[in-house]
Amino acid sequence: MGYLAIARKWRPSRFEDLVGQAHVVQTLKNAIRLDRVAHAYLFSGARGVGKTSVARIFAKALRCPNAKDAIPCNQCPECLSIADSRSVDVMEIDGASNNGVEAVRSIRENVAYGPSSGTYKIYIIDEVHMLSLSAFNALLKTLEEPPSHVIFIFATTEAQKLPLTILSRCQRFEFRRLTHSQIVDRIKFILADENVLVTEEGLRTLASHSDGSLRDGLSLLDQVLSYFGDRPLSGVPIEEAQIVEALGVNQTSQITTFLGCLLQKDSKGALALINDSYLAGIDLKHFAERCLEELRLLYMMTVARINAEEVSAETLDVSNSHYTALKELAGSTQLIVLERMAQIFSKVLGQLGWSSLPRFGLEMAAVRICHLQDLAKVEQALMGKANAGSGEKPPESVAIARNPTPVERKMESRETAMAPPPAALRVAASPSESQPERAPSPTPADRETDEANWTTSVPSVDSRPIASAPSAATQAWRAFVEAVMKRRPLLGALLCHANFKIENGERGGKNVLLAFPEGSFYERQARDSKQQIEDQLKQFFGPQTVFALSPASANTTTSIEQTKQEEAAGLKKTALEHPTVVKMKEILGAEVVDVNADV
Ligand SMILES: Nc1ncnc2c1ncn2[C@@H]1O[C@H](COP(=O)(O)OP(=O)(O)OP(=O)(O)O)[C@@H](O)[C@H]1O
Ligand SMILES: [Mg+2]
Ligand SMILES: [Zn+2]
């Protein structure tokens, strides 16, 4: 018999041999024991994590005449034919190459006939997401009411592409990616039998290039063993450096060192490492990907440090030496810096695919990161000075200044609170961060105790402080509009354009005056919807509420929509005139490209 790839040779043949996926195994075993086998299963999850293997074990457990407690004998003709995919009662169909209606039709015709022996006839359809829509439709009927001897097992890496009609007719199992430790343990187990030694670091490197797929891990192992020919059998363990050489990848410690150089602003060291990798023939896109992965680990470590928490090597799924190196780096790292590095690497990664000079792209990124940290310091120094001088709040976000967002600032300055995941850092400041734009609905009691008459005036844009608290009337109005928005979005949107005046009326009621621009579309809409507006007002402010529409010239407060626009204009103006921004422009010779007032 010819050479069999390690991944195939070591395909698990019993549920007990599977790595991970315990939730799937337990449910399937119970189904067999309790005789509650469903007629359609969907196995979804990443590639190479055991879907096909489980489908075959399940088929064997159901069909092996010697099976006991869901354990097939793996020796009878039935077990052997299933393992070799040649059983006439366990059909393995590749959805990618049999994706048309005709293929499904022949299945439909076939299911009518019982199995040649045993109780069940099993159809395993791999890559089921590749079936055409008409093929899925053709399958629906059979799936709804299959003959009692038929079991379908669908496997896919892209369950989201399946129609809901199919999903809802299947019992679904999500197969998980395997951790580095699980992959390392399985490879160790296999190597013991193959009589090959590999150091722990070497195994970790293999696992870290497997992307959670055991098949990938075993294929890489095959590649390494082929590279060394007979040498591994000499009893000397294969070292990480040799594995790295065989696979043409970076040593993990090299990536950690590279990030260390960037954090220490050692552009020379960083450039030398890029050069070494390039000369060693390493794919630079892969290099950048590894940097991002490493940044993620560093980020987790730094968050843990800031929160004075411990995160273990096990949680991070890294070796002990890698963990120690990461811990050292994380000791003095700032989250802002890591996040910016990640942004730069992500950008570079996107460009590396099509760049004609990928090395240069990566080099520029490295140098940029080294200088970036200087910028962060200048920024901080300026910020300190400016704030000390003016006591003002820094502007929300200015494109040139690379100011940390309020969320970032909070995290760095407090250095305590549980940091949100990186994605959260990218979220712009929420309205509640800077201005209480949407006040919570006042309770009836609040409304009762409010001051006498709420008089309002239109504040001038220039004199009005940006983050000034809205008056009680404005707050109540906003809460009202928000409530309407939830129930009647169209009416709510119309009310956003209303100038308003709210006064205390008789018997605890409110007098509400609304005005829309004269002759406008909104005014006509409001006249048509007068009754609905009144109903909503009474519901919110109480039945005594008196409501009137008036000409726009009436003494009313600016509409929510208009206020928003004015506030944005004011915010932009404040940002542009802010001492920090002015200083930054002066020192760095920078131009303000844009002010994001969308808060
Ligand atoms: N959970 C696991 N336990 C043990 N071995 C596994 C596991 N997952 C994968 N393997 C190994 O990888 C090989 C491929 O696994 P399998 O065919 O079951 O993956 P799959 O999930 O069907 O992948 P694909 O989506 O690419 O079809 C197996 O022969 C086995 O050697
Ligand atoms: Mg498969
Ligand atoms: Zn058997």
Side-chain angles (χ1 to χ4, degrees), residues 143-161:
L143 213 49
E144 182 89 291
E145 286 169 345
S148 59
H149 59 265
V150 169
I151 295 174
F152 284 104
I153 303 177
F154 302 126
T156 177
T157 43
E158 298 182 64
Q160 76 283 357
K161 289 194 179 159

Side-chain angles (χ1 to χ4, degrees), residues 262-263 292 295 299 334-348 365 368-369 371-380 383 398-405 408-409 412 422 425-426 584:
L262 297 183
L263 288 167
L292 265 174
L295 272 173
Y299 191 90
Q334 279 184 302
L335 289 180
I336 300 181
V337 174
L338 291 180
E339 202 218 330
R340 287 189 190 159
M341 283 168 78
Q343 281 166 351
I344 293 178
F345 274 117
S346 305
K347 203 167 161 200
V348 166
R368 226 179 118 204
I369 289 172
H371 286 285
L372 223 166
Q373 293 179 75
D374 284 339
L375 194 61
K377 283 200 180 125
V378 173
E379 200 179 311
Q380 270 168 4
M383 202 80 93
V398 180
I400 53 133
R402 306 190 54 79
N403 272 340
T405 67
E408 284 176 306
R409 234 179 279 128
E412 287 296 330
L425 292 178
R426 266 170 250 124
M584 290 286 275

Side-chain angles (χ1 to χ4, degrees), residues 220-238:
L220 290 175
L221 178 66
D222 247 336
Q223 195 178 328
V224 170
L225 296 187
S226 314
Y227 183 81
F228 285 105
D230 289 340
R231 264 159 64 199
L233 300 174
S234 62
V236 183
I238 302 176

Side-chain angles (χ1 to χ4, degrees), residues 435-446:
Q435 57 201 90
E437 194 185 31
R438 289 189 174 163
S441 306
T443 62
D446 284 341

Side-chain angles (χ1 to χ4, degrees), residues 103-248:
V104 173
R105 263 196 213 125
S106 82
I107 296 177
R108 257 185 10 195
E109 283 159 18
N110 249 304
V111 293
Y113 307 107
S116 65
S117 67
T119 323
Y120 292 111
K121 193 166 178 176
I122 299 161
Y123 290 83
I124 301 174
I125 307 186
D126 234 325
E127 306 294 339
V128 66
H129 64 270
M130 299 291 278
L131 292 193
S132 65
L133 194 62
S134 42
F136 276 126
N137 286 336
L139 196 59
L140 276 184
K141 182 87 183 70
T142 318
L143 213 49
E144 182 89 291
E145 286 169 345
S148 59
H149 59 265
V150 169
I151 295 174
F152 284 104
I153 303 177
F154 302 126
T156 177
T157 43
E158 298 182 64
Q160 76 283 357
K161 289 194 179 159
L162 295 187
L164 286 176
T165 42
I166 296 282
L167 288 178
S168 73
R169 285 167 171 78
C170 299
Q171 235 184 61
R172 179 168 174 182
F173 293 101
E174 187 67 44
F175 281 59
R176 301 190 179 134
R177 273 179 208 280
L178 301 168
T179 64
H180 292 177
S181 305
Q182 285 173 322
I183 295 175
V184 165
D185 288 347
R186 178 69 174 170
I187 297 182
K188 257 191 208 165
F189 176 79
I190 292 175
L191 286 182
D193 195 83
E194 301 267 338
N195 218 0
V196 177
L197 294 172
V198 178
T199 62
E200 183 76 23
E201 292 302 326
L203 292 175
R204 282 269 159 196
T205 302
L206 273 179
S208 67
H209 286 89
S210 311
D211 197 22
S213 157
L214 193 47
R215 187 200 292 110
D216 284 16
L218 296 181
S219 303
L220 290 175
L221 178 66
D222 247 336
Q223 195 178 328
V224 170
L225 296 187
S226 314
Y227 183 81
F228 285 105
D230 289 340
R231 264 159 64 199
L233 300 174
S234 62
V236 183
I238 302 176
E239 306 271 345
E240 188 194 8
Q242 294 169 304
I243 290 197
V244 160
E245 184 190 323
L247 299 182

Side-chain angles (χ1 to χ4, degrees), residues 32 81 105 153 159 167 171 197 217 277 336 411 422 439 518 548 557 598:
I32 297 177
S81 67
R105 263 196 213 125
I153 303 177
L167 288 178
Q171 235 184 61
L197 294 172
S277 303
I336 300 181
M411 287 175 66
E518 245 166 324
T557 299
D598 196 12

